[in-house]
């Protein structure tokens, strides 16, 4: 199965533009569709509905909010011709809590493609957090770095594997992409024993038509650092990883693998939870 229906979280940032270009390239030759979703918050720094706010000020606030959204849409339209999808490229707006809106919309698509969390340039009212979207959506989230060179040569895909539920979900969500790649490196880290032998996974991939090799990475400091270092040195076209096997609060508090990889990686990262 190839990707035929992709949702892109587009907020006008350079990272979201990179995500849009990646998604369009993925479906250009297979007849698929891309929808760019501008999700925007409804909250305001000053509540224009308060009784003390005069009508003239309310109009100014409304115009400012509308201007932000219009500028994002204009940026999208400026890209349309270059993306060369014609009628298969769509744009829509949706209001609400940004990450929740994207997560809800994404359930009717194959995959969500977003820009990297740490990339700047987005107004807070349209900012996207891909890790939260991965937790809420039930769909795989592909995170694209804003400086990713789509046309540059890259090595085959990599899968971070620890035998966990989240890792298995990410593998299943990405399997059709891995089958198209034909080859994959399965990455384990350190000497910690896995719940099941990694050979079982290698056999599964072989039966799915994927040529896989296992690489056990040394763990000089942390699992996240080992994975980021591998990607920096080997430049895979994509890293597949389960997101937040423990709770997001626990990982944020103690410094988890998902947050570390998201912050440091320069490789397209497919997250599933």
């Amino acid at each position: 199965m190839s990707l035929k229906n992709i949702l892109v979280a587009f907020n006008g940032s350079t990272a979201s533009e990179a995500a849009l270009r990646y998604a369009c390239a993925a479906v250009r030759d297979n007849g698929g569709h891309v929808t760019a979703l501008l999700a925007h918050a409804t909250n305001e720094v000053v509540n224009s509905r308060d009784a003390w706010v005069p009508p003239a000020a309310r109009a100014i606030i409304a115009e400012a909010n509308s201007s932000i959204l219009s500028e994002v849409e204009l940026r999208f339209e400026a890209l349309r011709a270059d993306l060369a999808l014609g009628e298969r490229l769509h744009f829509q707006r949706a209001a609400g809590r940004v990450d929740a809106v994207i997560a809800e919309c994404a359930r009717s698509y194959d995959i969500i493609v977003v820009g990297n969390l740490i990339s700047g340039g987005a107004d807070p009212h349209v900012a996207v957090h891909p890790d939260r979207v991965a937790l809420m959506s039930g769909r795989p989230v592909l995170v694209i770095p804003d400086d990713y060179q789509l046309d540059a040569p890259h090595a085959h895909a990599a899968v971070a594997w620890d035998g966990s539920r989240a890792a298995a979900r990410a593998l299943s969500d990405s399997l059709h992409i891995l089958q198209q790649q034909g080859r994959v490196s399965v990455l384990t880290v350190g000497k910690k024993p896995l719940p099941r032998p990694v050979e079982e996974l290698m056999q599964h991939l072989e039966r799915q038509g994927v040529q896989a090799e296992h690489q056990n990475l040394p763990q000089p400091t942390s699992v996240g650092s080992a994975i980021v270092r591998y990607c920096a040195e080997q430049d895979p076209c994509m890293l597949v990883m389960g997101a937040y096997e423990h709770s997001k609060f626990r990982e944020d508090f103690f410094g988890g693998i998902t947050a570390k990889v998201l912050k440091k990686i320069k490789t397209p990262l497919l997250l599933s939870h």
Side-chain angles (χ1 to χ4, degrees):
M1 181 184 75
S2 60
L3 299 175
K4 288 295 188 74
N5 195 26
I6 300 178
L7 182 70
V8 177
F10 186 80
N11 59 17
S13 66
T14 56
S16 70
E17 180 179 332
L20 184 61
R21 292 185 181 278
Y22 190 102
C24 289
V27 302
R28 188 164 291 128
D29 297 329
N30 73 2
H33 289 249
V34 171
T35 297
L37 172 66
L38 170 53
H40 58 95
T42 55
N43 62 299
E44 301 169 339
V45 177
V46 176
N47 187 353
S48 63
R49 293 176 292 278
D50 284 345
W52 62 269
V53 179
R58 293 178 191 175
I60 292 172
I61 293 170
E63 183 178 353
N65 290 333
S66 177
S67 177
I68 292 170
L69 305 180
S70 296
E71 288 176 7
V72 173
E73 187 165 356
L74 285 172
R75 182 160 188 178
F76 168 81
E77 292 299 338
L79 295 169
R80 183 184 285 277
D82 188 44
L83 296 172
L85 280 192
E87 299 282 328
R88 296 185 288 131
L89 179 60
H90 317 278
F91 182 88
Q92 65 184 61
R93 296 185 185 184
R97 293 174 56 202
V98 173
D99 298 324
V101 166
I102 295 170
E104 290 168 4
C105 291
R107 292 169 190 151
S108 299
Y109 291 82
D110 293 327
I111 194 170
I112 320 157
V113 183
V114 305
N116 195 296
L117 173 69
I118 62 173
S119 301
D123 184 277
H125 283 76
V126 295
V128 181
H129 304 86
D131 53 340
R132 297 178 193 173
V133 176
L135 282 174
M136 295 187 292
S137 66
R139 307 302 298 144
V141 177
L142 183 57
V143 187
I144 307 298
D146 58 358
D147 57 352
Y148 184 69
Q149 299 297 314
L150 186 61
D151 297 329
H154 302 281
H156 54 278
V159 174
W161 183 255
D162 60 3
S164 66
R165 183 207 62 82
R169 173 64 185 270
L171 178 68
S172 178
D173 283 345
S174 64
L175 188 56
H176 56 285
I177 300 176
L178 300 179
Q179 288 169 330
Q180 291 175 342
Q181 289 292 325
R183 295 181 61 207
V184 62
S185 292
V186 174
L187 311 178
T188 56
V189 180
K191 297 181 180 180
K192 182 179 179 180
L194 300 175
R196 301 288 303 173
V198 72
E199 288 76 18
E200 293 180 354
L201 173 64
M202 309 301 284
Q203 183 182 71
H204 172 63
L205 289 171
E206 180 183 0
R207 290 173 177 175
Q208 295 292 338
V210 178
Q211 181 183 347
E213 60 177 12
H214 173 221
Q215 296 191 44
N216 187 64
L217 309 178
Q219 186 179 344
T221 51
S222 69
V223 173
S225 296
I227 292 171
V228 169
R229 176 180 295 182
Y230 172 89
C231 290
E233 293 174 351
Q234 301 300 322
D235 191 28
C237 63
M238 177 185 300
L239 173 68
V240 175
M241 190 175 80
Y244 297 116
E245 180 62 24
H246 304 293
S247 73
K248 186 177 187 305
F249 172 80
R250 175 178 171 180
E251 289 220 14
D252 287 347
F253 188 80
F254 292 106
I257 297 171
T258 307
K260 181 181 289 291
V261 173
L262 258 176
K263 184 176 181 179
K264 300 286 188 181
I265 198 166
K266 299 296 184 182
T267 297
L269 173 64
L270 191 146
L271 292 173
S272 288
H273 176 72

